[in-house]
Amino acid sequence: MPKKIIRNLQVGVGFSLLILIASSIASYLSIQNQIDNREKLTASRRSITAAKDILVALLDIETGNRGYQLTGRVSFLEPFNKGLEELPKSINRLKALNTDNNNQREVLDKLENNVKYNIDNIKIFVENRRKGIIMTQQQFMMSKSYMDRCRMLVNDFVRNEEKNLEIKNKDLTKSSNTTVLFIILSAIAAIIVTAFFYRKMRADLIRRDKLEKELKAKDLEITRRVNAIKQIANKVASGDYSQKATDNSQDDLGDLVESLNHMTDSLKKSFDKINDSEWRQTGLVLLNESLVGNKSLKDVSNESLKHFIEYTNCINGALYLNDDGRLKLKAAYGLEDRMKKIFDSGEGMVGQVFLEKKIKVFNNINDSDFAVSFASSKVQVNSILLLPIVSGDHNFGVIELSSTENFSDQKLEYFAEGSRNIAVAIGAAKGREQEQRLLEETQTQ
């Protein structure tokens, strides 16, 4: 490696290490400051909670005393005793959290003295009540004044602590911003130094190894093209015939790519035919399975319509059966108010399809009036299919299907075959119903 490249590398690495060490030290100090501020912030919050706990304990003591004074029932001393137990703990906790704040210490000393004096008086009042001596109005007012004084001192303490909390919050935010700033500046400096020395070394290497790089580039290009062809071939071998290789070079590899694409197209056409046939046969098998058994005409109609809609991803549909020359709605999937219940032969497209015995398909419908209703909105219908139910010379009715997608030739072939199976099932169901009616008439006679 040339000496110039080594020198540039040493200078670049040295600068990067220097920046890394400096930024690490600065970030460490800033993070330590942030930790200290966060601990002070937590201590202030705990102090506020402890002060409020003192006030709660005093309120419990005061409440218990008043209830006992008014009723003489010992059960009212339960909050009194609980407050006496919790009060010293709260005071000690608050004193432990405020050892470095003289102003708060003064307020806390005043609060402790007032609390002690008030508690001593209340204990005397409780003891007197046990002896039958009830507190006088003047004693009640005196106890209230001490309680108000304690409340005022707690509020002063909390107010001062909240001011300190705001200051500590600002210090924490400032230290956090400083840490982020150090990290950003260090990252920018490292990027600049790295980019600068990278460009210098890259220029040196380009000038020295230009010919070698051209040879390597050619080799890499050939390897890349071969790997691309290999990947396409592997995907085609695994069944993905949508892959196309692109290589416009006029050489042996370009000819190989063209041959590979021709082979892929041929395989895709063959397997598409197989898949379409398999999809159609599977659908017919499932349809026949749903129609097997001594099912009624209504069951056959419902099962047929349901299978067509679910298997072909339609969104709604209707099945009309011939009843003395009129087409009556026998089954519906996603019934709409606008669906007509009865058609005469030749009336509308439904009656016309019944009359002509030919499939009618309407794709790319842009009319917004053709829509299917849901609970929250409507979905526009894109295609409508009218399918006659015919078996031999028997014309049983018409099936109407709606879809948000166009009906493909593959689906139309499936519908045509399926409708013939449905016609056979409907004919059998009608025959069973007629036999049942004749049997019932015979039994009645």
Side-chain angles (χ1 to χ4, degrees), residues 304-320:
S304 302
L305 183 62
K306 179 182 177 183
H307 171 80
F308 267 175
I309 289 176
E310 292 181 351
Y311 192 69
T312 60
N313 294 324
C314 294
I315 54 176
N316 75 342
L319 188 147
Y320 295 88

Side-chain angles (χ1 to χ4, degrees), residues 112-128:
E112 186 177 10
N113 293 332
N114 276 270
V115 167
K116 184 177 182 303
Y117 191 81
N118 193 17
I119 296 303
D120 290 341
N121 285 334
I122 292 176
K123 287 180 179 179
I124 293 173
F125 297 151
V126 170
E127 188 63 30
N128 289 339

